[in-house]
Amino acid sequence: MALNKQSNVYTIIYIVVLVVVVGAALAFTSLSLKDRQVENANADKMRQILASVHITPDKGNVVDDYNKYITESFIVNAEGTRVDGDAFDVNVEAQSKTSDEALRELPVYVCTLADGTAKYILPVYGAGLWGPIWGYVSLDSDGSTLYGAYFAHQGETPGLGAEIEKPAFSDQFAGLHMFKDGQFMPVAVVKKGQKPTGNEDYVDGISGGTITSKGVGTMLDNCLRPYESFLRTLSTESK
């Protein structure tokens, strides 16, 4: 017997069937696109890594340029010793939140530029005003001199904290040092016109983006300090 299309039972059955069909279609679409989504996420990560060494590949050449310039990648521990694992697969967010630095897995990417010089790229992750911030810093083979930096954010205020992604901010890092008088000192981020209390190198924070700027400074300190032993090894080898 046919259901009365005006009845509540018909309406409920219709809605249930519709939800099941739409849900199945969305699930199928999500699964079908999963590989593409992963590829796009990986390509964007590669683009960001290359940005820290001032390489900006065309959209279609990101993977090729990454494979061309990133000639080695590995993981080290807080003692500077290499450990097993794929650097690209390390969850930097989770590692940055591990309070015991001795337990952290620390990814290192080695970039060989066209002139044959090597740059060492280290990822960083932290918190801004409205959400996560992250980036990559690159250093010369002396383990101290910064070559470049790239920063990104999820939801900082346009024109204020969001300015950390602009070259006007990141370009300040080039040429600064992580070691001063033998002491390991990650670069500080201070209010424009001020200086840090210590002897570390520093950059000017974003005007009007005080909390985001402090977040960058905290992120650099938290994420780069565990690399001290590894960077000291580079410094020794370069001499």
Side-chain angles (χ1 to χ4, degrees):
M1 183 177 69
L3 290 174
N4 181 358
K5 293 185 178 181
Q6 304 302 317
S7 68
N8 291 335
V9 173
Y10 179 86
T11 301
I12 293 172
I13 293 176
Y14 180 83
I15 293 174
V16 170
V17 171
L18 183 63
V19 169
V20 170
V21 172
V22 172
L26 291 175
F28 176 78
T29 301
S30 178
L31 289 173
S32 300
L33 297 176
K34 185 176 181 179
D35 289 344
R36 178 61 63 85
Q37 292 171 342
V38 171
E39 289 176 2
N40 289 340
N42 288 344
D44 187 54
K45 182 176 178 177
M46 293 175 183
R47 178 190 63 79
Q48 295 180 28
I49 291 172
L50 292 175
S52 72
V53 286
H54 313 296
I55 296 174
T56 307
D58 293 331
K59 186 175 181 180
N61 295 331
V62 174
V63 176
D64 289 341
D65 280 356
Y66 179 86
N67 292 330
K68 174 182 177 181
Y69 290 105
I70 304 302
T71 51
E72 187 180 12
S73 62
F74 50 87
I75 302 171
V76 298
N77 57 25
E79 296 178 351
T81 304
R82 294 196 188 196
V83 297
D84 294 335
D86 187 336
F88 199 83
D89 291 337
V90 172
N91 185 331
V92 178
E93 176 185 1
Q95 296 302 317
S96 71
K97 296 176 181 178
T98 301
S99 57
D100 188 347
E101 294 181 0
L103 299 178
R104 292 191 191 181
E105 295 181 336
L106 309 171
V108 179
Y109 302 90
V110 184
C111 173
T112 303
L113 299 178
D115 61 3
T117 59
K119 308 299 177 184
Y120 292 82
I121 304 170
L122 313 177
V124 293
Y125 190 98
L129 174 59
W130 301 114
I133 56 177
W134 63 91
Y136 298 88
V137 297
S138 60
L139 298 97
D140 290 346
S141 57
D142 64 3
S144 177
T145 309
L146 286 165
Y147 178 72
Y150 170 87
F151 300 106
H153 64 93
Q154 181 171 294
E156 299 307 287
T157 307
L160 298 175
E163 295 297 298
I164 63 170
E165 67 182 1
K166 301 293 181 62
F169 177 71
S170 59
D171 286 353
Q172 298 181 84
F173 288 81
L176 302 184
H177 295 85
M178 301 280 283
F179 287 95
K180 300 295 292 290
D181 299 324
Q183 298 294 315
F184 184 69
M185 299 181 177
V187 173
V189 182
V190 300
K191 187 175 182 179
K192 189 173 183 178
Q194 297 183 356
K195 294 183 178 181
T197 55
N199 190 38
E200 65 266 38
D201 281 349
Y202 64 94
V203 300
D204 291 332
I206 303 297
S207 297
T210 302
I211 295 178
T212 306
S213 298
K214 287 182 178 179
V216 174
T218 300
M219 172 176 69
L220 295 174
D221 189 76
N222 175 50
C223 292
L224 296 181
R225 281 196 179 280
Y227 285 96
E228 178 179 354
S229 294
F230 171 72
L231 296 177
R232 283 191 182 278
T233 299
L234 288 183
S235 179
T236 299
E237 291 176 349
S238 69
K239 294 178 181 178

